[in-house]
Amino acid sequence: MSDAPRLRILVVGASGELGRAIVAELSPRHEIITAGSKSGDIRIDIADPESVAAGLTAAGPLDAVACAAGAVNFTPLGAIAPASIAQSVYGLGLANKLMGQVNLTLAARDILREEGSITLIAGVLADDVIVAGSSASMVNGALESFVRAAAIELPRGLRINAVSPTVFEESMAAYGPFFRGYDPVPVLRAARAFSKSIEGRQTGQVYKVI
Amino acid sequence: MSDAPRLRILVVGASGELGRAIVAELSPRHEIITAGSKSGDIRIDIADPESVAAGLTAAGPLDAVACAAGAVNFTPLGAIAPASIAQSVYGLGLANKLMGQVNLTLAARDILREEGSITLIAGVLADDVIVAGSSASMVNGALESFVRAAAIELPRGLRINAVSPTVFEESMAAYGPFFRGYDPVPVLRAARAFSKSIEGRQTGQVYKVI
């Protein structure tokens, strides 16, 4: 087989547990541009559509956009009242983790090189639910279905997949109490799913890392 | 077996193809209160949280809330630009079919009689996607995961399920061109799934009617 090409990859949310693992996995073989709301080569706040568009333009030519960023609220259902999106507990997840990544996809659609890829972060709560997790479940379920739908409409051979991991071993100190009985995975396994998405040729897939 | 109780059921979106089938299926055995944005015993615009809360209060004591209402945009992905939820093509589906039904759930949580049920409408596009369907896919995926999550947190023995049907035979004149090759189902089959949700004891389920 011929050598695989060296790709130019933007990693959004590069400073977090998952982002660092993605960078560690891909940087030996590819050129990585890091982005985050507070650190990185480029500042991108995914909740701000103008920041997303400006950040992707600033990044220059790209073969792949990988997102490891996205905020949601964890609130017991009993404490959530009916409200408009702007006023709702669900507003953060919808505007940040969901529409932030959707907007990243739409902006990447217009600037990625031919046959480039987009990889989003979803999560196990789409299927396997916890108390106070209804916003995360909603957003992750939305993202999984969105990538299936977007995959069939992306132009120029562009691809899109989602990585949907369970809780990470490295995050159990912080999140363990919310995920009693879940088998945590090393964050490296989620980073490998990003590699499969970016360095493979599949599209419209949800890689469950559980 | 003892006779099943006669339930008091609010059907939101009662005047549509699905809503009429739900009313036809349940009215021989139960008391039905119909609701819609433009017709019905009660006016409820699910996109307006105050209308949802006022409508459920006006309905009086209820054993079940069934929703057959929810609007989304159908727009080719290539025609969708990055934008905030309020400005986005995705905003309608998120505010109407998704948050409208989530708000209906939260309001029903507070007023339903013990062991009452909530049944939401999702759809096949969560899994099986079409061109211009990314908003519908996103919203349906979100709803399927939301009901799984909400089911484990509802108080007083309340239950929640979603019905996720493919295109209806009765709607093929209007929607057929978007669903070439899909096997349509009689709307009666989706109405039966609402009956299973309301008259059974399951919770956290997604009834795929395909």
Side-chain angles (χ1 to χ4, degrees):
Chain A
M1 291 171 79
S2 62
D3 279 359
R6 184 175 165 86
L7 305 174
R8 202 155 181 279
I9 303 170
L10 178 70
V11 178
V12 181
S15 69
E17 194 74 61
L18 174 59
R20 296 196 308 274
I22 295 169
V23 172
E25 175 67 20
L26 294 172
S27 58
R29 299 184 291 282
H30 303 289
E31 181 183 356
I32 307 296
I33 299 102
T34 60
S37 58
K38 301 193 193 78
S39 64
D41 301 324
I42 292 171
R43 291 294 131 81
I44 295 180
D45 173 4
I46 62 168
D48 174 358
E50 291 180 19
S51 169
V52 168
L56 287 202
T57 302
L62 292 171
D63 300 293
V65 172
C67 187
V72 301
N73 275 319
F74 286 89
T75 305
L77 189 76
I80 307 179
S84 66
I85 292 176
Q87 302 294 322
S88 174
V89 163
Y90 295 106
L92 174 68
L94 293 176
N96 192 303
K97 188 172 183 181
L98 176 57
M99 282 303 298
Q101 295 194 90
V102 168
N103 284 332
L104 196 63
T105 298
L106 297 173
R109 169 201 65 199
D110 296 335
I111 64 100
L112 278 172
R113 287 171 174 156
E114 231 171 88
E115 305 202 337
S117 71
I118 300 154
T119 311
L120 306 184
I121 184 70
V124 72
L125 298 182
D127 303 313
D128 199 7
V129 300
I130 62 172
V131 167
S134 65
S135 177
S137 294
M138 171 196 294
V139 164
N140 291 339
L143 285 163
E144 294 188 8
S145 292
F146 173 76
V147 301
R148 284 192 276 270
I152 67 167
E153 292 193 73
L154 285 172
R156 302 182 296 113
L158 301 181
R159 300 178 299 106
I160 184 169
N161 299 295
V163 176
S164 188
T166 190
V167 63
F168 300 132
E169 285 177 358
E170 292 82 352
S171 306
M172 283 300 273
Y175 295 124
F178 301 99
F179 289 91
R180 295 289 181 218
Y182 282 65
D183 279 320
V185 297
V187 69
L188 170 60
R189 284 193 52 212
R192 283 197 192 114
F194 275 82
S195 159
K196 180 190 271 190
S197 173
I198 294 166
E199 301 182 283
R201 282 297 302 166
Q202 298 182 11
T203 192
Q205 303 302 305
V206 176
Y207 298 122
K208 311 247 177 194
V209 182
I210 55 178
Chain B
M1 290 173 78
S2 61
D3 277 359
R6 184 173 165 87
L7 304 174
R8 203 156 180 279
I9 304 170
L10 178 70
V11 178
V12 180
S15 69
E17 194 73 62
L18 174 59
R20 294 195 309 271
I22 295 169
V23 172
E25 175 66 21
L26 294 172
S27 57
R29 296 185 292 283
H30 303 288
E31 180 183 356
I32 307 295
I33 299 102
T34 60
S37 58
K38 302 194 193 79
S39 64
D41 301 323
I42 293 172
R43 290 294 128 82
I44 295 181
D45 173 5
I46 61 168
D48 175 358
E50 290 181 18
S51 169
V52 168
L56 288 201
T57 301
L62 291 172
D63 299 293
V65 173
C67 188
V72 303
N73 275 319
F74 285 89
T75 307
L77 190 76
I80 307 179
S84 67
I85 292 175
Q87 302 295 323
S88 174
V89 164
Y90 295 108
L92 174 68
L94 293 177
N96 193 303
K97 188 172 183 181
L98 176 56
M99 283 304 298
Q101 294 195 90
V102 168
N103 284 331
L104 196 62
T105 299
L106 297 173
R109 169 201 65 198
D110 296 335
I111 64 99
L112 277 172
R113 287 171 173 157
E114 230 170 271
E115 305 202 337
S117 71
I118 301 153
T119 311
L120 306 184
I121 184 69
V124 72
L125 297 181
D127 302 312
D128 200 5
V129 300
I130 62 172
V131 166
S134 65
S135 178
S137 293
M138 170 197 294
V139 163
N140 291 340
L143 285 163
E144 294 189 8
S145 292
F146 173 75
V147 301
R148 285 192 275 269
I152 66 167
E153 293 193 73
L154 284 172
R156 303 182 294 116
L158 301 181
R159 301 178 298 105
I160 184 168
N161 300 294
V163 175
S164 188
T166 190
V167 64
F168 300 133
E169 285 176 359
E170 293 82 353
S171 307
M172 283 301 274
Y175 295 124
F178 302 99
F179 289 91
R180 294 287 180 222
Y182 284 65
D183 278 320
V185 297
V187 68
L188 170 61
R189 284 193 52 211
R192 283 197 192 115
F194 276 81
S195 159
K196 180 190 270 190
S197 173
I198 293 166
E199 302 183 281
R201 282 295 303 164
Q202 298 183 10
T203 191
Q205 303 302 305
V206 176
Y207 298 122
K208 311 247 177 194
V209 181
I210 54 177

